[in-house]
Amino acid sequence: MNSGNYPSQILENAVKEFSQLPGVGRKSALRLVLYLLKQEKNDVLRFADALKRLSEEIVYCTQCFNISDTEVCDICANNKRDHSTVCVVENIKDVMAIENTQQYFGVYHVLGGIISPMDGIGPDDLTIKPLEDRVNSGEIKELIFALPTTMEGDTTNFYLYRKFAKLDINITTLARGVSIGDELEYTDEVTLGRSLINRLPFESSMNI
Amino acid sequence: MNSGNYPSQILENAVKEFSQLPGVGRKSALRLVLYLLKQEKNDVLRFADALKRLSEEIVYCTQCFNISDTEVCDICANNKRDHSTVCVVENIKDVMAIENTQQYFGVYHVLGGIISPMDGIGPDDLTIKPLEDRVNSGEIKELIFALPTTMEGDTTNFYLYRKFAKLDINITTLARGVSIGDELEYTDEVTLGRSLINRLPFESSMNI
């Protein structure tokens, strides 16, 4: 089926919008739009309204740059959390993943990306300056780097490390090792090697 | 990553709407929404508006039940097309596919589905009554059944055939045979068998 020949301009517009989403081609977009056409009018209006609010009402937390409905996000506004520990992550999906562990009680700093010269993303495109301001305020005792283990992640780690190493704060990173439930034979060599080098007292694995 | 723990209600609502689309799970929905968040505000508003118009302004052609921006669709409103030949199809994707061949100059009738007892779809759920009205108006000379070659398609074909066979109209169906470009050894037996039974004078294949 070629493109074009849509029986309706309105249909074509909706297909065009959907097909601009990543991983959605013209055919899938048409399928989604035809699906929506079969739904209740109010359901589609609610969808449209959700998008409208997404574009108009969502803000970024002024402290950690997490997505938020309010000027300061729920995590930063929570007094029970440890504001002296800041976990530095690439994006809000990482915040959600860490929050889901229910093992972290500090706050975050969302960089909004990682340094990637290939994609033209430099330090100035990220929220590194505000992170410096937070660190310089003197309230932060530990920075946890929780960036991806890719070349870009390592570059960003190193860039941040050089910025903050001279200051009197702890800089830590996530432990790397064999995933819980993984078979050793299927674990990649680098991970297995690192987990040997950074081996832990047995008691610590028992939570005792 | 579990569900829940969205940093923003607005974000969560948008994710929920996307994840109700067929083939889109929670994770893909989040990915799409985060993509939209990175786009220009006006682009997202345009997306929202396209959906709003989709739900509010699109109508079905009162003659053929194709999707349309106007009461009578462009095809039915076109006087140059042969209104005495009606191609009966399942849905608007089929209309688009046939239009793209640029080989058809009649009009359409969109059933809006096919008879499928397993899915609880009977003749009354389709636009069969309006098709009868069109046929009874006496203006139709040929009905072309262009329904899928599935059990449901055959059931629908047979149901329609029994309704219209006694009338003085031609009832035809799409030719079945080996696809152009297909190797014989990879063609399924039923198709190959039918293409032998319905073999054509050689000249007709040369368009002479």
Side-chain angles (χ1 to χ4, degrees), chain B residues 46-62:
Chain B
R46 207 187 50 229
F47 196 158
D49 189 57
L51 286 182
K52 190 160 174 280
R53 292 190 63 196
L54 188 74
S55 75
E56 289 182 333
E57 294 177 30
I58 266 192
V59 293
Y60 291 90
C61 171
T62 51

Side-chain angles (χ1 to χ4, degrees), chain A residues 1-11 13-14 17-18 20-24 27 30-38 40-58 60 66-69 73-75 91-93 95-97 99-102 112, chain B residues 1-11 13-14 17-18 20-24 27 30-38 40-58 60 66-69 73-75 91-93 95-97 99-102 112:
Chain A
M1 189 160 57
N2 300 322
S3 61
N5 275 327
Y6 289 90
S8 143
Q9 190 60 46
I10 296 168
L11 180 83
N13 283 343
E17 294 297 340
F18 270 105
Q20 276 161 13
L21 295 173
V24 181
K27 273 197 175 181
L30 178 60
R31 193 172 51 89
L32 296 177
V33 170
L34 292 180
Y35 171 84
L36 285 177
L37 268 181
K38 282 191 185 169
E40 294 289 325
K41 190 177 154 182
N42 281 339
D43 290 348
V44 183
L45 282 179
R46 207 185 51 229
F47 196 156
D49 189 56
L51 286 181
K52 190 161 172 280
R53 292 190 63 195
L54 189 73
S55 74
E56 289 183 335
E57 294 177 32
I58 266 193
Y60 291 91
N66 193 5
I67 286 168
S68 173
D69 293 344
C73 76
D74 290 348
I75 295 172
N91 59 41
I92 83 129
K93 279 194 264 192
V95 174
M96 289 170 66
E99 283 299 287
N100 277 324
T101 67
Q102 303 190 313
Chain B
M1 191 161 58
N2 300 323
S3 62
N5 274 328
Y6 290 88
S8 144
Q9 190 60 45
I10 295 167
L11 180 84
N13 283 343
E17 294 297 339
F18 270 105
Q20 277 161 13
L21 295 173
V24 180
K27 275 197 175 181
L30 178 60
R31 192 170 53 87
L32 296 178
V33 170
L34 292 180
Y35 170 85
L36 285 177
L37 267 181
K38 282 193 185 168
E40 294 289 325
K41 189 177 155 182
N42 280 340
D43 289 349
V44 183
L45 283 179
R46 207 187 50 229
F47 196 158
D49 189 57
L51 286 182
K52 190 160 174 280
R53 292 190 63 196
L54 188 74
S55 75
E56 289 182 333
E57 294 177 30
I58 266 192
Y60 291 90
N66 193 4
I67 286 168
S68 174
D69 294 343
C73 77
D74 289 349
I75 295 171
N91 59 42
I92 84 128
K93 281 194 263 192
V95 173
M96 289 171 67
E99 284 298 287
N100 277 323
T101 67
Q102 303 190 310

Side-chain angles (χ1 to χ4, degrees), chain B residues 61-84:
Chain B
C61 171
T62 51
Q63 292 183 21
C64 73
F65 296 91
N66 193 4
I67 286 168
S68 174
D69 294 343
T70 46
E71 200 184 332
V72 174
C73 77
D74 289 349
I75 295 171
C76 288
N78 186 343
N79 284 330
K80 290 188 183 144
R81 297 191 73 128
D82 172 11
H83 283 67
S84 70

